[in-house]
Short mmCIF file of all heavy atoms in Angstrom, two decimals:
data_model
loop_
_atom_site.label_atom_id
_atom_site.label_comp_id
_atom_site.label_asym_id
_atom_site.label_seq_id
_atom_site.Cartn_x
_atom_site.Cartn_y
_atom_site.Cartn_z
N ILE A 979 -12.01 0.73 -0.65
CA ILE A 979 -11.19 -0.48 -0.84
C ILE A 979 -11.38 -1.40 0.38
O ILE A 979 -11.27 -0.91 1.50
CB ILE A 979 -9.72 -0.11 -1.07
CG1 ILE A 979 -9.60 0.86 -2.25
CG2 ILE A 979 -8.87 -1.36 -1.28
CD1 ILE A 979 -8.25 1.53 -2.33
N ALA A 980 -11.55 -2.68 0.11
CA ALA A 980 -11.70 -3.66 1.23
C ALA A 980 -10.90 -4.91 0.82
O ALA A 980 -10.55 -5.11 -0.33
CB ALA A 980 -13.16 -3.99 1.48
N ALA A 981 -10.75 -5.76 1.82
CA ALA A 981 -10.04 -7.06 1.56
C ALA A 981 -10.65 -7.76 0.40
O ALA A 981 -11.83 -7.83 0.25
CB ALA A 981 -10.13 -7.94 2.84
N GLY A 982 -9.79 -8.24 -0.50
CA GLY A 982 -10.20 -8.91 -1.68
C GLY A 982 -10.13 -8.03 -2.93
O GLY A 982 -10.21 -8.56 -4.04
N ASP A 983 -10.03 -6.72 -2.76
CA ASP A 983 -9.97 -5.79 -3.86
C ASP A 983 -8.56 -5.65 -4.38
O ASP A 983 -7.59 -5.72 -3.63
CB ASP A 983 -10.52 -4.40 -3.46
CG ASP A 983 -11.98 -4.39 -3.13
OD1 ASP A 983 -12.67 -5.35 -3.50
OD2 ASP A 983 -12.41 -3.41 -2.45
N ALA A 984 -8.45 -5.37 -5.68
CA ALA A 984 -7.16 -5.06 -6.33
C ALA A 984 -7.25 -3.69 -6.99
O ALA A 984 -8.36 -3.31 -7.49
CB ALA A 984 -6.83 -6.13 -7.35
N VAL A 985 -6.16 -2.91 -6.94
CA VAL A 985 -6.16 -1.58 -7.47
C VAL A 985 -4.90 -1.33 -8.26
O VAL A 985 -3.83 -1.78 -7.91
CB VAL A 985 -6.24 -0.54 -6.32
CG1 VAL A 985 -6.26 0.91 -6.87
CG2 VAL A 985 -7.42 -0.76 -5.43
N TYR A 986 -5.01 -0.55 -9.35
CA TYR A 986 -3.83 -0.16 -10.12
C TYR A 986 -3.80 1.37 -10.05
O TYR A 986 -4.77 2.08 -10.28
CB TYR A 986 -3.95 -0.56 -11.58
CG TYR A 986 -2.86 0.06 -12.42
CD1 TYR A 986 -1.55 -0.41 -12.37
CD2 TYR A 986 -3.14 1.16 -13.21
CE1 TYR A 986 -0.55 0.21 -13.10
CE2 TYR A 986 -2.12 1.76 -14.00
CZ TYR A 986 -0.83 1.28 -13.86
OH TYR A 986 0.20 1.87 -14.63
N PHE A 987 -2.62 1.87 -9.57
CA PHE A 987 -2.38 3.32 -9.55
C PHE A 987 -1.39 3.70 -10.61
O PHE A 987 -0.23 3.21 -10.61
CB PHE A 987 -1.78 3.77 -8.19
CG PHE A 987 -2.71 3.56 -7.04
CD1 PHE A 987 -2.55 2.45 -6.18
CD2 PHE A 987 -3.70 4.49 -6.72
CE1 PHE A 987 -3.39 2.28 -5.12
CE2 PHE A 987 -4.53 4.31 -5.63
CZ PHE A 987 -4.41 3.21 -4.83
N PRO A 988 -1.74 4.55 -11.61
CA PRO A 988 -0.71 4.99 -12.54
C PRO A 988 0.39 5.79 -11.85
O PRO A 988 0.21 6.22 -10.71
CB PRO A 988 -1.52 5.97 -13.47
CG PRO A 988 -2.99 5.55 -13.28
CD PRO A 988 -3.05 5.09 -11.85
N ALA A 989 1.53 5.92 -12.51
CA ALA A 989 2.64 6.71 -11.94
C ALA A 989 2.18 8.06 -11.53
O ALA A 989 1.32 8.71 -12.13
CB ALA A 989 3.80 6.82 -12.92
N ASN A 990 2.73 8.54 -10.40
CA ASN A 990 2.46 9.89 -9.84
C ASN A 990 1.01 10.12 -9.45
O ASN A 990 0.55 11.27 -9.43
CB ASN A 990 2.94 10.95 -10.80
CG ASN A 990 4.43 10.91 -11.03
OD1 ASN A 990 5.19 10.90 -10.08
ND2 ASN A 990 4.84 10.77 -12.27
N THR A 991 0.29 9.05 -9.09
CA THR A 991 -1.10 9.26 -8.61
C THR A 991 -1.04 9.92 -7.28
O THR A 991 -0.32 9.55 -6.35
CB THR A 991 -1.81 7.91 -8.46
OG1 THR A 991 -1.91 7.24 -9.74
CG2 THR A 991 -3.21 8.05 -7.92
N ARG A 992 -1.80 11.03 -7.14
CA ARG A 992 -1.85 11.82 -5.93
C ARG A 992 -3.20 11.73 -5.29
O ARG A 992 -4.24 11.61 -5.95
CB ARG A 992 -1.56 13.27 -6.21
CG ARG A 992 -0.17 13.49 -6.87
CD ARG A 992 0.91 13.52 -5.81
NE ARG A 992 2.20 13.85 -6.44
CZ ARG A 992 3.16 12.95 -6.61
NH1 ARG A 992 3.03 11.73 -6.29
NH2 ARG A 992 4.29 13.32 -7.16
N GLY A 993 -3.23 11.78 -3.97
CA GLY A 993 -4.52 11.77 -3.25
C GLY A 993 -4.28 11.56 -1.79
O GLY A 993 -3.14 11.61 -1.26
N LEU A 994 -5.36 11.32 -1.07
CA LEU A 994 -5.32 11.14 0.40
C LEU A 994 -5.86 9.77 0.76
O LEU A 994 -6.92 9.37 0.33
CB LEU A 994 -6.20 12.21 1.02
CG LEU A 994 -6.26 12.20 2.56
CD1 LEU A 994 -4.96 12.73 3.16
CD2 LEU A 994 -7.45 13.05 3.05
N TRP A 995 -5.07 9.03 1.53
CA TRP A 995 -5.46 7.74 2.10
C TRP A 995 -6.22 7.99 3.40
O TRP A 995 -5.82 8.81 4.22
CB TRP A 995 -4.25 6.89 2.45
CG TRP A 995 -3.63 6.20 1.28
CD1 TRP A 995 -2.46 6.49 0.69
CD2 TRP A 995 -4.15 5.06 0.63
NE1 TRP A 995 -2.23 5.63 -0.35
CE2 TRP A 995 -3.25 4.74 -0.43
CE3 TRP A 995 -5.30 4.27 0.72
CZ2 TRP A 995 -3.44 3.67 -1.30
CZ3 TRP A 995 -5.50 3.20 -0.15
CH2 TRP A 995 -4.56 2.93 -1.16
N ASN A 996 -7.32 7.24 3.61
CA ASN A 996 -8.03 7.24 4.82
C ASN A 996 -8.20 5.78 5.23
O ASN A 996 -9.10 5.06 4.68
CB ASN A 996 -9.39 7.92 4.71
CG ASN A 996 -10.16 7.85 6.01
OD1 ASN A 996 -9.65 7.65 7.07
ND2 ASN A 996 -11.50 7.96 5.90
N VAL A 997 -7.36 5.27 6.13
CA VAL A 997 -7.44 3.92 6.60
C VAL A 997 -8.45 3.81 7.73
O VAL A 997 -8.29 4.50 8.77
CB VAL A 997 -6.09 3.34 7.04
CG1 VAL A 997 -6.22 1.93 7.57
CG2 VAL A 997 -5.15 3.35 5.82
N ILE A 998 -9.51 3.07 7.56
CA ILE A 998 -10.59 2.96 8.53
C ILE A 998 -10.33 1.76 9.48
O ILE A 998 -10.58 1.86 10.67
CB ILE A 998 -11.91 2.78 7.79
CG1 ILE A 998 -12.18 4.02 6.92
CG2 ILE A 998 -13.09 2.54 8.75
CD1 ILE A 998 -13.15 3.80 5.77
N GLU A 999 -9.86 0.67 8.90
CA GLU A 999 -9.56 -0.54 9.65
C GLU A 999 -8.20 -1.04 9.13
O GLU A 999 -8.02 -1.08 7.89
CB GLU A 999 -10.71 -1.54 9.34
CG GLU A 999 -10.56 -2.94 9.93
CD GLU A 999 -11.73 -3.77 9.40
OE1 GLU A 999 -12.87 -3.41 9.64
OE2 GLU A 999 -11.47 -4.79 8.75
N THR A 1000 -7.30 -1.42 9.98
CA THR A 1000 -5.94 -1.78 9.55
C THR A 1000 -5.95 -2.61 8.27
O THR A 1000 -6.68 -3.58 8.19
CB THR A 1000 -5.21 -2.53 10.67
OG1 THR A 1000 -5.05 -1.68 11.82
CG2 THR A 1000 -3.82 -3.02 10.22
N VAL A 1001 -5.21 -2.12 7.27
CA VAL A 1001 -5.16 -2.77 5.97
C VAL A 1001 -3.81 -3.42 5.75
O VAL A 1001 -2.80 -3.03 6.32
CB VAL A 1001 -5.43 -1.80 4.81
CG1 VAL A 1001 -6.86 -1.31 4.83
CG2 VAL A 1001 -4.45 -0.66 4.78
N ARG A 1002 -3.85 -4.45 4.90
CA ARG A 1002 -2.63 -5.14 4.45
C ARG A 1002 -2.80 -5.38 2.94
O ARG A 1002 -3.89 -5.75 2.49
CB ARG A 1002 -2.39 -6.44 5.21
CG ARG A 1002 -1.04 -7.05 4.74
CD ARG A 1002 -0.76 -8.31 5.53
NE ARG A 1002 -0.51 -7.96 6.93
CZ ARG A 1002 -0.29 -8.92 7.87
NH1 ARG A 1002 -0.29 -10.17 7.53
NH2 ARG A 1002 -0.06 -8.57 9.09
N LYS A 1003 -1.73 -5.15 2.19
CA LYS A 1003 -1.77 -5.41 0.79
C LYS A 1003 -0.46 -6.03 0.33
O LYS A 1003 0.56 -5.83 0.95
CB LYS A 1003 -2.03 -4.14 -0.02
CG LYS A 1003 -0.87 -3.14 0.07
CD LYS A 1003 -1.16 -1.86 -0.73
CE LYS A 1003 0.08 -0.91 -0.64
NZ LYS A 1003 -0.20 0.34 -1.42
N THR A 1004 -0.55 -6.82 -0.78
CA THR A 1004 0.66 -7.22 -1.44
C THR A 1004 0.71 -6.21 -2.61
O THR A 1004 -0.34 -5.75 -3.14
CB THR A 1004 0.57 -8.63 -2.01
OG1 THR A 1004 -0.64 -8.82 -2.81
CG2 THR A 1004 0.57 -9.65 -0.82
N TYR A 1005 1.93 -5.80 -2.96
CA TYR A 1005 2.10 -4.77 -4.01
C TYR A 1005 3.20 -5.06 -4.94
O TYR A 1005 4.11 -5.85 -4.64
CB TYR A 1005 2.28 -3.40 -3.34
CG TYR A 1005 3.59 -3.29 -2.60
CD1 TYR A 1005 4.79 -2.96 -3.25
CD2 TYR A 1005 3.69 -3.63 -1.27
CE1 TYR A 1005 5.99 -2.93 -2.58
CE2 TYR A 1005 4.88 -3.59 -0.58
CZ TYR A 1005 6.03 -3.29 -1.27
OH TYR A 1005 7.24 -3.21 -0.60
N PHE A 1006 3.14 -4.43 -6.09
CA PHE A 1006 4.18 -4.49 -7.10
C PHE A 1006 4.35 -3.07 -7.67
O PHE A 1006 3.38 -2.51 -8.18
CB PHE A 1006 3.83 -5.49 -8.20
CG PHE A 1006 4.85 -5.53 -9.32
CD1 PHE A 1006 6.02 -6.23 -9.12
CD2 PHE A 1006 4.62 -4.91 -10.52
CE1 PHE A 1006 6.99 -6.33 -10.12
CE2 PHE A 1006 5.59 -4.96 -11.54
CZ PHE A 1006 6.76 -5.67 -11.35
#
Side-chain angles (χ1 to χ4, degrees):
I979 303 167
D983 294 343
V985 181
Y986 171 75
F987 294 100
N990 297 307
T991 299
R992 302 278 184 253
L994 181 73
W995 281 106
N996 177 22
V997 175
I998 299 159
E999 176 184 302
T1000 297
V1001 292
R1002 184 177 293 176
K1003 67 180 181 180
T1004 54
Y1005 65 87
F1006 178 77

